[in-house]
Amino acid sequence: MSELVIHTEKLTKRFGDFVAVDALSLSVSGGEIFGFLGANGAGKSTAIKMLTGLLAPTSGKATVAGFDLYTGAEGIKRNIGYMSQRFSLYDDLTVCENIRFFAGIYGLSNQAIKEKSRQLLESLKLEAVADVRLASLPLGWKQKLAFSVAILHEPKIVFLDEPTGGVDPVTRRRFWDMIYEASGRGLTIFVTTHYMDEAEYCDRLCIMVDGRVAALDRPEAMKLHYGAGSMNEVFIQLARPGKTENP
């Protein structure tokens, strides 16, 4: 059995009387593609902030990449990658400058930065635009670069926060090919998405409703349990009980 890269027990975050994340308990194995779903306000972002060491929990236990959430925040940050919907890159820097900048933040040596930059430009076929400002590149190229930069330091897990928002279906499908390839190399993927077709691509899913885990299982098992033909139908049943129309 693969090692657990994330393990939480009743992880909770309160803001005054408001409970944003209520007793979150889950485990994610090495190399797993784990989908984290929920409507706006369901607690996804707060949970991710805790798991990435950016927000202290109110109570509960958790380890990420082998580090305790309370005492090992710096170790967590060194062993994770992160990519958001905005791709986490700088439009006013060139492709090469973005790579060097983030590689430096991740603590890579000058020699490693030079070699990693060469490998990355070659693998993404971006050599011809290495000195072009990111703002002028197509969205799909930015997306591929952002993902590759997020895992440049070979982390144990990468958090993808709605990484395909605003891109076309073909580009989304190509991005998921990159995710599958990285997962095949043993990288753990923790991804949030509003696209229910993407939920079908995950090994397992956690659906959050009002700060709590409403369902946690494989996509096929969820559809079977809820008598649904798609994850969209499952999501509607959980997030909007009693509703049958599209959200």
Side-chain angles (χ1 to χ4, degrees), residues 19-128:
V19 183
V21 176
D22 191 0
L24 176 65
S25 296
L26 56 81
S27 295
V28 182
S29 300
E32 186 173 16
I33 301 174
F34 189 85
F36 199 54
L37 312 180
N40 291 334
K44 303 189 307 300
S45 296
T46 300
I48 288 177
K49 286 178 181 178
M50 287 193 288
L51 294 175
T52 53
L54 297 176
L55 186 63
T58 303
S59 61
K61 300 178 181 178
T63 57
V64 178
F67 294 90
D68 182 87
L69 209 57
Y70 294 92
T71 61
E74 289 306 312
I76 290 173
K77 291 173 185 176
R78 287 195 302 270
N79 285 275
I80 64 173
Y82 178 81
M83 174 184 169
S84 73
Q85 184 177 351
R86 300 182 69 84
F87 306 138
S88 311
L89 299 178
Y90 291 99
D91 274 344
D92 56 343
L93 297 181
T94 67
V95 170
C96 234
E97 286 169 343
N98 267 288
I99 296 172
R100 289 198 296 265
F101 176 75
F102 284 99
I105 288 177
Y106 292 139
L108 299 182
S109 67
N110 289 335
Q111 182 58 37
I113 291 174
K114 183 178 180 180
E115 183 60 21
K116 290 276 189 180
S117 297
R118 183 192 64 77
Q119 293 174 352
L120 189 53
L121 291 170
E122 184 179 314
S123 66
L124 296 180
K125 296 179 172 56
L126 292 177
E127 298 102 321

Side-chain angles (χ1 to χ4, degrees), residues 26-28 32-36 189-191 202 204-206 216:
L26 56 81
S27 295
V28 182
E32 186 173 16
I33 301 174
F34 189 85
F36 199 54
I189 313 290
F190 192 101
V191 57
C202 298
R204 284 192 306 138
L205 299 169
C206 174
L216 177 59

